[in-house]
Amino acid sequence: MRKLSEGQALLSILLSILFLFPSSIARDTVIPTQPLSFPDTLVSSNRTFALGFFPPNNSTNYFLGIWYNNISVHTVVWVANRQSPVTNSSSATLSISTNGNLTVSQQQNSTFTSIITPSSALSNPVAKLLDNGNFVIMESGSDFNDNRSYVWQSFDHPTDTLLPGMKLGWDFTRGLNRNLTGWKSDSDPAQGPYTLAMDTRGDPQLAFWSGSNRGWRSGPWTGYQFSGVPETRTYTAFNFYFVNDKQEVYYMYTVSDPSVITRLVMNQSGTVQRFVWLEGTGEWSVYWYTPKTACDSYAPCGPYGTCDPNDSPICSCLPGFVPKSPQDWALRDGRGGCVRQTRLDCKNRTDGFMTVSNLLLPDTVNVTVDMNMSLEECKTMCLMNCSCTGYSNADVRNGGSGCITWQGDLMDSAISVDGGQDFFVRLAASDLKTLLSQSQSEKRKHKAIIAVVSVLLALLLVISLAAYVWRRKRQGKQCCCFLSVPDSSDEQYIVERTENEDLELPLFGLEMVVAATNNFSFENKLGEGGFGPVYLGKLDDGQEIAVKTLSKTSIQGRDEFKNEVMLIAKLQHRNLVRLLGCCIHGEQRILIYEYLPNRSLDAFLFDKERSALLDWRTRYRIIEGIARGLLYLHQDSRFRIIHRDLKASNILLDEAMNPKISDFGMARIFGGDQTKAMTLRVVGTYGYMSPEYAMDGIFSVKSDVFSFGVLMLEIISGTRNRGVYLSDPDEYLLGRAWNLWIEGNGLQLVDPSIGHLYSKNEVLRCIKIGLLCVQEHPEDRPTMSSVVLMLASEDAGIPKPKQPGFVLRKGYAEGDSSSSKPEFQTGNDLTFTMSIGR
Ligand SMILES: *[C@@H]1O[C@H](CO)[C@@H](O)[C@H](O)[C@H]1NC(C)=O
Ligand SMILES: *[C@@H]1O[C@H](CO)[C@@H](O)[C@H](O)[C@H]1NC(C)=O
Ligand SMILES: *[C@@H]1O[C@H](CO)[C@@H](O)[C@H](O)[C@H]1NC(C)=O
Ligand SMILES: *[C@@H]1O[C@H](CO)[C@@H](O)[C@H](O)[C@H]1NC(C)=O
Ligand SMILES: *[C@@H]1O[C@H](CO)[C@@H](O)[C@H](O)[C@H]1NC(C)=O
Ligand SMILES: *[C@@H]1O[C@H](CO)[C@@H](O)[C@H](O)[C@H]1NC(C)=O
Ligand SMILES: *[C@@H]1O[C@H](CO)[C@@H](O)[C@H](O)[C@H]1NC(C)=O
Ligand SMILES: *[C@@H]1O[C@H](CO)[C@@H](O)[C@H](O)[C@H]1NC(C)=O
Ligand SMILES: *[C@@H]1O[C@H](CO)[C@@H](O)[C@H](O)[C@H]1NC(C)=O
Ligand SMILES: *[C@@H]1O[C@H](CO)[C@@H](O)[C@H](O)[C@H]1NC(C)=O
Ligand SMILES: *[C@@H]1O[C@H](CO)[C@@H](O)[C@H](O)[C@H]1NC(C)=O
Ligand SMILES: *[C@@H]1O[C@H](CO)[C@@H](O)[C@H](O)[C@H]1NC(C)=O
């Protein structure tokens, strides 16, 4: 039965080939006695590429080209006669003469285009289409896997597409300049205005050309990547190469997973795009492109200006420089650039250097590179040379090596946190002095403020202590509350408050909190958090607060607790719930948070009716928001915080359904008995706990990543991850997600209440990232920074997930009852605390 259907399939393929190309069976070579005429095609031996004559869309002309043979969208990757089309297809022919000249011709017009005249005469030439898309000419019988036998290859003459294994750049020995030039239009593959080429002047870099005007440039190769393309390092599916020696300067990439089909294209409108083929959806997806931002044009901020795409206005001057034309700059036109405040004084050797961090290096066309020089030697050399305006390391790997020195104007530098590096700009002594004293006076001011503040604080402390003692005497019931006033700014990263602002923290009595919550009345109760009940409160000024009372189990002392809370209250991020302050009353501890009316994510996600309010865009925004908030906790805040209890009920939603992580300070506040990596008390919610944490009490940022992964899959599927060791893995969310994923049915996981309005790619990418996060081994799981990157990038760079933790433990859980693993109950969503005997 099966044999038969395979045979039928083969037959139908053969028939269709015969039907499409009636005059010949597909072959992969052209020899003198067998020219190729339209509509025949050559097909590479593993059937990946095809070569033949094709008409572009809306054109009556025919061109000889190479396209993907096995892809449903006709995609041309190379054109032989882009400037000289064949007008009558019925006589279009590709032939190779006995001496090896390859020509495209149409008989009755007797015009022909010589594609190539080989450098050495061949006695028995053959032209062959290889599996990698390279069309080569060689002596018949020589080894077509050895590139030394090619007397000519299409890879040396790219059109607009760079395939894996093709080189973009110079071969000096053969005088080849391999560059990509976009088509004129969809219907005309002739050379358009835009070219991507290797600029070998100074320190080589890729650059756009439109005629003789240079546009975007990649910046020099830093050892890991082109400095202007920092994303490169996160693309694990590709290998990137940059070779710069006497014979060659080129850029090349290969794919590490041969099933990934990708191409880099210079498109007709002046954008470089990297595409990857998505077989599932049957389309090319743009994985990366450039130019992206206003800073990607050439020198938008002129000489000595620097561009920051995340700033507004984008232009500023390098330190020690001022706008040349302040009027233009005021009108947001920075192209005029900047000028020195003070002229250099080279003769007296008084000049010095100012460090500029995270700088995407200025244009390197006029630089001098010496790979054997240290940074110190580099500095000396620059100082000795009166036209030198700055220097930097040529290779940033291993702490930096090599020396680049700039002569003349510093053009087209930009701020790039990911791709930038330290740059040292030459300044006159007086400018340096001013800059240094400015930064010092800032520090001094800071110090002065701190001094004043400490005195005031001390005073305050004495007064409040006195008041405290007095009140304690008077009523025997005391409290000390600290409440910081939220500010209304909604920057993603609000700079942490400086010491002096703590002064503004008003002190509140417990009475106030009691009044605000109606004496902790039942009506005001919002719910039960992991550590105690939560109440809604309303301050006198109308501000609503959430009041969280902590059960009296904390082991922290009062001051420790207060300090901890004050530290955490300073953490500010759009995706974290603001902790406003705390109250300490004897053993009782109370935390005061901003109140978010939309309650928590689980109230929406797992509710049949309300879940329909979460369309895919909202869910995706929620996922992104949580990822950013968590990244901030893990990395970007002043101290590393591991949440340890990330779950849907700890994600609160504001009016606009923006997610805010709550309870993020609890791990720290309750952190008395833990070393860096181990805890005796396991705090958390199962379903969200990583294997290593639940079993061994080992936690790290990666246990949070696990919880995040579970949360992500819950958001996509709208179902809770219940239990851990269930007999049917399909009842266990991670198991179900994994099984659907490996079967290729990932989309079946999607919550039906989302409807059909979603991007399949995005959903599949999210499922993939979710699965990556819940992998069994912490070291396999990505960090939150790569999660954030992966969420923003396209699919192909994301590694394949391995089996989630817990999933395959079925047999182990059922069979091995002697194991010492802790007992879990199922179906409960409350945070629990558990002691592991050791
Ligand atoms: C072909 O040309 C027609 C009319 O000029 C236009 O509407 C159509 O979009 C073109 N098709 C393609 C594929 O470019
Ligand atoms: C052609 O593509 C189909 C669909 O992706 C795939 O199943 C098949 O193996 C491919 N054939 C070859 C020869 O690559
Ligand atoms: C022509 O245009 C159609 C529709 O836009 C597209 O599917 C097809 O691949 C194009 N063909 C070529 C040769 O570009
Ligand atoms: C194209 O060539 C065929 C055969 O050689 C000929 O019959 C036909 O008239 C030609 N068409 C044009 C437009 O020249
Ligand atoms: C073919 O090659 C020979 C040298 O091998 C050269 O003299 C001749 O001009 C070439 N013909 C064409 C049409 O390019
Ligand atoms: C021959 O081909 C060229 C283009 O290659 C065309 O301009 C010319 O009109 C054609 N001549 C004849 C007689 O068909
Ligand atoms: C065909 O060969 C190329 C180059 O060796 C390889 O990358 C590709 O995966 C192969 N394709 C198939 C379908 O075997
Ligand atoms: C030939 O292939 C080798 C190994 O793949 C490579 O190192 C070399 O650069 C290639 N030479 C040319 C001219 O493409
Ligand atoms: C691109 O390559 C072609 C052929 O080698 C050369 O003539 C042209 O000048 C190159 N363009 C640029 C911008 O390097
Ligand atoms: C070129 O790429 C840009 C960016 O991806 C895209 O917006 C534009 O439509 C592309 N142009 C063409 C003609 O495909
Ligand atoms: C530099 O040297 C010149 C004489 O060559 C002198 O007049 C000038 O004051 C010196 N400047 C500084 C800043 O020392
Ligand atoms: C490089 O040097 C040339 C000649 O001195 C000059 O015209 C050009 O503006 C310089 N380019 C940059 C980017 O400094």
Side-chain angles (χ1 to χ4, degrees):
M1 190 61 205
R2 174 128 196 203
K3 276 250 157 71
L4 189 67
S5 65
E6 267 175 16
Q8 279 172 343
L10 200 66
L11 193 68
S12 70
I13 289 174
L14 275 177
L15 276 177
S16 66
I17 289 170
L18 281 176
F19 178 72
L20 279 173
F21 313 115
S23 58
S24 81
I25 305 283
R27 56 195 168 107
D28 65 354
T29 53
V30 173
I31 52 178
T33 52
Q34 282 177 6
L36 180 85
S37 300
F38 181 81
D40 290 357
T41 55
L42 297 187
V43 175
S44 69
S45 56
N46 78 4
R47 312 195 55 83
T48 313
F49 288 98
L51 177 145
F53 290 94
F54 72 95
N57 264 329
N58 276 355
S59 166
T60 54
N61 289 335
Y62 282 74
F63 295 87
L64 179 73
I66 298 177
W67 57 86
Y68 290 95
N69 183 48
N70 196 20
I71 277 183
S72 50
V73 178
H74 185 78
T75 311
V76 175
V77 296
W78 183 74
V79 180
N81 52 333
R82 59 192 306 187
Q83 305 288 18
S84 36
V86 173
T87 48
N88 188 342
S89 68
S90 51
S91 59
T93 308
L94 170 73
S95 50
I96 186 163
S97 65
T98 44
N99 63 14
N101 297 12
L102 203 59
T103 50
V104 172
S105 58
Q106 48 189 334
Q107 279 147 13
Q108 76 277 53
N109 192 324
S110 77
T111 56
F112 55 87
T113 311
S114 175
I115 302 179
I116 180 253
T117 311
S119 47
S120 51
L122 297 175
S123 54
N124 209 355
V126 55
K128 185 175 167 70
L129 180 59
L130 304 181
D131 282 340
N132 58 3
N134 198 3
F135 185 49
V136 302
I137 298 178
M138 59 195 172
E139 194 72 65
S140 168
S142 50
D143 178 7
F144 63 79
N145 286 320
D146 182 357
N147 60 15
R148 280 169 303 183
S149 48
Y150 311 156
V151 295
W152 179 93
Q153 55 176 330
S154 66
F155 271 20
D156 282 339
H157 305 274
T159 52
D160 67 337
T161 304
L162 195 72
L163 292 171
M166 271 171 100
K167 295 171 178 177
L168 179 56
W170 281 82
D171 182 335
F172 298 117
T173 48
R174 293 189 291 152
L176 276 178
N177 175 7
R178 289 161 293 206
N179 55 38
L180 305 181
T181 303
W183 287 23
K184 212 169 220 163
S185 72
D186 273 337
S187 54
D188 187 1
Q191 288 185 326
Y194 301 104
T195 299
L196 176 69
M198 185 70 73
D199 190 341
T200 54
R201 296 173 294 171
D203 202 3
Q205 50 190 340
L206 288 178
F208 273 167
W209 298 85
S210 167
S212 57
N213 294 330
R214 217 166 60 126
W216 176 84
R217 64 191 183 91
S218 66
W221 188 261
T222 65
Y224 296 112
Q225 75 221 349
F226 288 113
S227 57
V229 194
E231 305 94 314
T232 311
R233 286 183 76 180
T234 62
Y235 297 163
T236 48
F238 306 118
N239 309 312
F240 297 94
Y241 305 87
F242 180 75
V243 170
N244 179 9
D245 57 28
K246 284 217 165 60
Q247 285 85 42
E248 290 188 286
V249 177
Y250 68 84
Y251 158 82
M252 181 175 89
Y253 71 92
T254 59
V255 288
S256 33
D257 176 354
S259 68
V260 173
I261 299 176
T262 180
R263 62 199 170 99
L264 189 76
V265 177
M266 173 81 235
N267 89 7
Q268 339 155 353
S269 40
T271 305
V272 173
Q273 296 168 293
R274 175 179 290 288
F275 291 96
V276 291
W277 175 252
L278 302 180
E279 189 57 50
T281 49
E283 61 190 15
W284 288 103
S285 129
V286 177
Y287 185 93
W288 171 84
Y289 67 92
T290 198
K292 281 194 179 93
T293 67
C295 289
D296 288 336
S297 56
Y298 185 74
C301 305
Y304 304 103
T306 181
C307 193
D308 185 348
N310 297 324
D311 208 359
S312 176
I314 54 176
C315 284
S316 53
C317 290
L318 286 169
F321 291 80
V322 290
K324 188 171 182 186
S325 160
Q327 296 92 324
D328 289 347
W329 276 60
L331 297 172
R332 303 275 156 101
D333 177 2
R335 286 171 298 175
C338 308
V339 289
R340 272 181 204 287
Q341 281 176 305
T342 313
R343 288 181 59 157
L344 293 177
D345 183 13
C346 187
K347 279 201 193 115
N348 297 1
R349 303 229 184 285
T350 54
D351 296 343
F353 294 94
M354 182 82 193
T355 313
V356 189
S357 307
N358 293 330
L359 198 71
L360 206 167
L361 298 180
D363 198 352
T364 51
V365 293
N366 287 343
V367 302
T368 312
V369 183
D370 186 332
M371 291 312 290
N372 300 320
M373 244 183 214
S374 73
L375 203 59
E376 204 47 45
E377 291 166 328
C378 197
K379 178 178 179 178
T380 315
M381 187 172 93
C382 187
L383 216 47
M384 308 280 281
N385 178 347
C386 286
S387 63
C388 175
T389 46
Y391 70 95
S392 181
N393 267 140
D395 188 329
V396 300
R397 288 174 299 183
N398 309 321
S401 61
C403 165
I404 314 181
T405 49
W406 275 259
Q407 282 89 42
D409 290 351
L410 301 171
M411 299 294 286
D412 196 35
S413 67
I415 300 292
S416 162
V417 175
D418 301 317
Q421 64 190 78
D422 280 353
F423 173 76
F424 305 89
V425 58
R426 182 180 200 144
L427 293 180
S430 58
D431 285 350
L432 267 179
K433 214 185 260 168
T434 330
L435 283 170
L436 285 177
S437 69
Q438 260 172 19
S439 75
Q440 258 164 12
S441 81
E442 242 157 59
K443 267 186 210 154
R444 229 177 289 136
K445 228 194 293 173
H446 223 78
K447 270 188 193 151
I449 290 173
I450 289 173
V452 170
V453 165
S454 351
V455 167
L456 285 180
L457 269 180
L459 254 170
L460 213 81
L461 207 80
V462 168
I463 293 171
S464 55
L465 207 75
Y468 171 79
V469 169
W470 178 71
R471 273 165 66 180
R472 184 177 188 141
K473 268 192 188 148
R474 208 179 62 150
Q475 33 179 241
K477 180 179 175 185
Q478 28 29 63
C479 172
C480 164
C481 290
F482 298 84
L483 206 61
S484 70
V485 188
D487 44 31
S488 53
S489 59
D490 191 26
E491 294 292 338
Q492 185 173 5
Y493 293 95
I494 302 169
V495 179
E496 286 152 6
R497 284 150 176 274
T498 48
E499 247 84 346
N500 60 327
E501 281 168 304
D502 282 354
L503 252 193
E504 291 161 20
L505 300 186
L507 290 170
F508 286 90
L510 182 64
E511 311 83 58
M512 219 165 159
V513 179
V514 168
T517 58
N518 242 334
N519 196 12
F520 299 107
S521 74
F522 186 74
E523 289 83 60
N524 283 41
K525 191 163 164 178
L526 291 172
E528 191 86 28
F531 300 86
V534 185
Y535 298 90
L536 169 63
K538 200 164 196 178
L539 295 179
D540 287 344
D541 62 2
Q543 193 196 347
E544 288 184 312
I545 53 174
V547 177
K548 175 170 247 169
T549 55
L550 302 181
S551 32
K552 300 173 184 174
T553 49
S554 170
I555 12 61
Q556 265 186 339
R558 177 199 159 91
D559 289 340
E560 271 174 282
F561 175 78
K562 197 190 83 195
N563 288 340
E564 200 67 57
V565 170
M566 296 324 289
L567 275 179
I568 289 164
K570 280 184 208 148
L571 291 188
Q572 295 191 28
H573 187 271
R574 178 192 297 180
N575 298 112
L576 299 181
V577 172
R578 283 286 320 270
L579 176 61
L580 301 177
C582 68
C583 281
I584 308 168
H585 175 228
E587 280 296 285
Q588 174 126 44
R589 277 110 210 259
I590 295 171
L591 294 177
I592 298 165
Y593 289 94
E594 70 176 315
Y595 172 68
L596 296 173
N598 260 342
R599 306 275 189 102
S600 56
L601 178 60
D602 61 338
F604 283 89
L605 206 49
F606 307 131
D607 182 286
K608 268 213 170 66
E609 277 159 24
R610 288 216 256 171
S611 64
L613 294 174
L614 297 178
D615 59 10
W616 172 248
R617 283 259 58 85
T618 311
R619 291 187 199 218
Y620 188 73
R621 266 204 353 253
I622 291 176
I623 291 175
E624 280 185 323
I626 301 172
R628 291 211 197 93
L630 202 53
L631 173 65
Y632 178 77
L633 289 179
H634 284 179
Q635 244 176 31
D636 297 341
S637 67
R638 200 190 295 172
F639 31 78
R640 173 174 289 216
I641 290 181
I642 301 173
H643 189 294
R644 293 170 71 193
D645 197 14
L646 192 67
K647 56 181 171 181
S649 56
N650 274 341
I651 305 297
L652 306 186
L653 298 171
D654 71 6
E655 313 79 41
M657 300 299 258
N658 293 312
K660 289 178 184 255
I661 301 176
S662 74
D663 268 8
F664 54 85
M666 299 311 257
R668 257 184 99 92
I669 288 172
F670 277 84
D673 60 346
Q674 72 209 14
T675 64
K676 219 174 198 162
M678 296 277 242
T679 177
L680 298 183
R681 287 161 63 253
V682 174
V683 184
T685 305
Y686 43 69
Y688 293 94
M689 268 195 283
S690 61
E692 76 277 6
Y693 182 33
M695 312 284 262
D696 304 319
I698 298 173
F699 70 87
S700 65
V701 287
K702 294 297 184 70
S703 5
D704 274 357
V705 172
F706 186 95
S707 313
F708 173 76
V710 174
L711 192 52
M712 225 169 136
L713 294 172
E714 286 187 336
I715 293 172
I716 295 164
S717 67
T719 50
R720 254 182 230 280
N721 184 34
R722 288 179 188 284
V724 177
Y725 298 104
L726 290 178
S727 48
D728 182 0
D730 274 355
E731 280 182 32
Y732 170 48
L733 176 61
L734 299 194
R736 194 159 72 89
W738 171 250
N739 288 344
L740 286 174
W741 174 260
I742 49 176
E743 289 160 11
N745 294 330
L747 291 177
Q748 286 181 20
L749 191 68
V750 177
D751 188 350
S753 46
I754 290 182
H756 296 287
L757 277 180
Y758 57 83
S759 145
K760 286 179 188 155
N761 290 343
E762 217 165 69
V763 170
L764 287 173
R765 177 169 4 121
C766 286
I767 297 177
K768 193 169 183 186
I769 298 171
L771 286 170
L772 279 173
C773 293
V774 298
Q775 292 177 108
E776 166 131 35
H777 298 292
E779 60 276 11
D780 289 342
R781 295 174 210 144
T783 57
M784 285 317 293
S785 56
S786 17
V787 169
V788 168
L789 266 174
M790 286 193 271
L791 279 172
S793 65
E794 300 291 337
D795 303 82
I798 305 177
K800 283 206 174 98
K802 296 182 195 152
Q803 191 111 35
F806 289 131
V807 165
L808 258 202
R809 297 296 184 81
K810 223 167 78 187
Y812 163 72
E814 283 162 358
D816 181 8
S817 56
S818 67
S819 81
S820 59
K821 77 183 163 47
E823 289 290 316
F824 289 94
Q825 307 158 347
T826 55
N828 189 341
D829 188 38
L830 278 185
T831 300
F832 71 96
T833 305
M834 180 180 73
S835 291
I836 294 180
R838 52 179 74 231

